[in-house]
């Protein structure tokens, strides 16, 4: 059932910036009343066809070498063919999905779950974080680990700086984001948060980090691109009584719906939230819409779908406990689910698009990775 309510009833936003008036006209012009909706994963539209932009011709290839849960899955930067995935057995597998699909390397070194990884901008390196309390840097051409950074708690999320790849930001279970020098492994900067930092993403300029914690809070953090210094600017806190970890934080530089940059978040209980981002106010977030999916047992991540210039919707793709991949239009009050892909036999935990937006990869609880080929659209 669709419900509309003012933002003040849904959330609490705190800011650490006194130089900007958050109620200025510039920010208020971006404000819209949000809507929220609750659906089951299988709530496909009745009497409607599949959203044509997200129809698929079938499976392009399957990788099944891994025998444990795939925890994180990504294509290389600006790459349509390079794919990597980390697993709960500590391995990282690097693949090429072009014909013929091949496994390039299996990187072994972590002793516990790979919690996250990121490609460097030139795709020559991968930096990975793990529950074994380490960060590892891998040189892909040699398939070797070239640096190990030891922490005091599980390392939960990791990102290269999008402009200065010598900065590596890592969120950990010790309630910190630590910025390391990629070349030396030394700590450059550190910022403390209210709970474990479970997910993060940079904006396209590298001046902002958006991160989520284990209590469902989302933070906007400014970063000095020269020194790596961090400063918390805003905190968004849901008014929900139950607090769940943030599993996904994903930034996009433009959205037709918001007319500017946006942020997607997903919590472990299956709550998707879509925010507009005010870059001029240090990453202030305004909730545009939200969607409550079926409660999850596992930690499932979501992703934006490719931006379609002829569509006014805002499309999201996510895995599900029922082994399907679902596509949602967050702007639809009813029949939010617009398509689903069936092929996995176990809960689908992670999904990722390639740069060319013609392949979608999904991975499940038992290590199977499926690369789906999207139908060509005019």
């Amino acid at each position: 059932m669709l419900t509309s309510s003012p933002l003040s009833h849904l959330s609490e936003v705190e800011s650490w910036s006194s130089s900007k008036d958050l109620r200025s006209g510039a920010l208020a012009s971006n404000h819209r009343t949000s809507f929220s909706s609750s659906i089951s994963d299988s709530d496909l539209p009745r009497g409607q066809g599949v959203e044509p932009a997200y129809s698929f011709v079938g499976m392009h290839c399957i990788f099944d070498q891994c025998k444990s849960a795939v925890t994180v899955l990504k294509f290389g930067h600006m790459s349509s063919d390079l794919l990597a995935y980390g697993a709960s057995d500590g391995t990282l597998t690097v693949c090429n999905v072009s014909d013929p699909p091949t496994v390039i390397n299996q990187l072994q070194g972590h002793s516990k779950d790979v919690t996250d990884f990121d490609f460097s901008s030139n795709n020559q390196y991968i930096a990975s974080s793990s529950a074994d309390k380490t960060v590892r840097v891998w040189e892909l051409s040699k398939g070797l680990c070239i640096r190990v950074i030891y922490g005091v708690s599980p390392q939960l999320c990791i990102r290269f700086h999008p402009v200065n790849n010598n900065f590596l930001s890592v969120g950990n279970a010790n309630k910190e984001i630590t910025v390391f020098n990629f070349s030396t492994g030394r700590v450059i900067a550190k910022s403390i948060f209210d709970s474990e930092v479970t997910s993060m993403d940079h904006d396209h300029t590298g001046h902002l980090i958006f991160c989520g914690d284990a209590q469902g809070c989302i933070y906007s953090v400014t970063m000095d691109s020269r020194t790596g210094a961090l400063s918390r600017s805003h905190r968004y806190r849901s008014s929900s009584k139950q607090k769940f970890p943030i599993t996904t934080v994903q930034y996009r530089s433009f959205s037709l719906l918001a007319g500017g940059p946006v942020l997607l978040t997903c919590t472990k209980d299956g709550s998707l939230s879509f925010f507009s981002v005010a870059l001029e106010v240090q990453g202030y977030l305004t909730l545009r819409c939200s969607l409550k999916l079926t409660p999850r047992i596992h930690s499932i991540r979501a992703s934006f779908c490719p931006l379609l210039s002829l569509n006014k919707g805002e499309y999201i793709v996510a895995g599900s406990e029922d082994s399907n991949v679902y596509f949602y239009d967050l702007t639809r009050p009813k029949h939010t689910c617009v398509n689903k892909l069936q092929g996995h036999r176990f809960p689908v935990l992670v999904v990722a698009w390639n740069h060319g937006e013609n392949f979608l990869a999904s991975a499940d609880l038992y290590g199977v990775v499926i690369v789906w080929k999207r139908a060509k659209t005019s």
Side-chain angles (χ1 to χ4, degrees), residues 179-214:
V179 182
F180 294 98
N181 182 304
F182 171 74
S183 301
T184 66
R186 293 180 178 176
V187 176
I188 297 172
K190 189 177 290 188
S191 185
I192 308 298
F193 296 84
D194 301 337
S195 186
E196 299 178 1
V197 180
T198 54
S199 188
M200 65 160 59
D201 203 9
H202 271 286
D203 78 326
H204 62 292
T205 69
H207 293 309
L208 287 167
I209 294 175
F210 300 98
C211 64
D213 71 13

Side-chain angles (χ1 to χ4, degrees), residues 113-157:
D113 305 42
V114 175
T115 53
D116 199 7
F117 70 84
D118 199 20
F119 285 95
S120 62
S121 58
N122 59 12
N123 294 326
Q124 292 182 4
Y125 302 96
I126 280 180
S128 58
S129 59
S130 173
D132 67 8
K133 304 180 183 181
T134 69
V135 167
R136 288 180 177 262
V137 178
W138 310 84
E139 187 173 350
L140 294 189
S141 62
K142 299 178 180 178
L144 296 175
C145 177
I146 60 172
R147 178 163 293 107
V148 183
I149 302 171
Y150 294 91
V152 297
S153 66
Q155 308 296 300
L156 303 178
C157 50

Side-chain angles (χ1 to χ4, degrees), residues 5-139:
S5 55
L7 287 176
S8 60
H9 293 164
L10 288 174
S11 62
E12 176 188 341
V13 178
E14 297 176 15
S15 303
W16 287 271
S17 171
S18 58
S19 60
K20 298 277 187 179
D21 180 6
L22 298 181
R23 290 180 173 82
S24 66
L27 192 61
S29 65
N30 284 332
H31 176 94
R32 291 184 186 175
T33 300
S34 70
F35 70 75
S36 60
S37 179
S38 296
I39 64 167
S40 67
D41 289 326
S42 57
D43 184 22
L44 279 167
R46 296 177 183 175
Q48 299 181 35
V50 166
E51 170 58 46
Y54 298 115
S55 59
F56 287 76
V57 295
M59 298 179 189
H60 172 68
C61 60
I62 298 175
F63 296 101
D64 60 359
Q65 292 81 2
C66 183
K67 302 304 178 185
S68 58
V70 174
T71 52
V72 57
L73 172 75
K74 292 180 184 178
F75 282 92
H77 285 299
M78 306 295 285
S79 174
S80 294
D81 301 323
L82 184 63
L83 175 69
Y85 53 94
S88 60
D89 64 359
T91 61
L92 266 165
T93 304
V94 184
C95 310
N96 190 314
V97 302
S98 60
D99 291 323
T102 54
V103 174
I104 302 171
N105 277 310
Q106 189 170 60
L107 308 175
Q108 298 183 351
H110 287 299
S111 60
K112 293 183 179 179
D113 305 42
V114 175
T115 53
D116 199 7
F117 70 84
D118 199 20
F119 285 95
S120 62
S121 58
N122 59 12
N123 294 326
Q124 292 182 4
Y125 302 96
I126 280 180
S128 58
S129 59
S130 173
D132 67 8
K133 304 180 183 181
T134 69
V135 167
R136 288 180 177 262
V137 178
W138 310 84
E139 187 173 350

Side-chain angles (χ1 to χ4, degrees), residues 152-167:
V152 297
S153 66
Q155 308 296 300
L156 303 178
C157 50
I158 191 165
R159 288 293 181 275
F160 278 102
H161 191 278
V163 179
N164 184 351
N165 262 198
N166 206 37
F167 290 159

Side-chain angles (χ1 to χ4, degrees), residues 214-235:
Q215 296 298 312
C217 290
I218 305 157
Y219 302 85
S220 303
V221 183
T222 58
M223 183 175 186
D224 189 309
S225 296
R226 293 182 299 104
T227 66
L230 301 175
S231 178
R232 283 170 54 174
S233 55
H234 309 295
R235 176 177 61 187

Side-chain angles (χ1 to χ4, degrees), residues 283-324:
Y284 184 82
L285 300 177
T286 301
L287 181 66
R288 289 302 184 93
C289 50
S290 60
L291 180 66
K292 181 67 175 69
L293 304 179
T294 304
R296 270 87 169 102
I297 299 171
H298 302 96
S299 181
I300 293 178
R301 306 190 193 203
S303 173
F304 282 117
C305 285
L307 185 64
L308 301 167
S309 59
L310 300 180
N311 265 304
K312 298 299 182 183
E314 192 62 54
Y315 295 95
I316 305 299
V317 60
S320 175
E321 303 279 358
D322 67 4
S323 78
N324 296 321

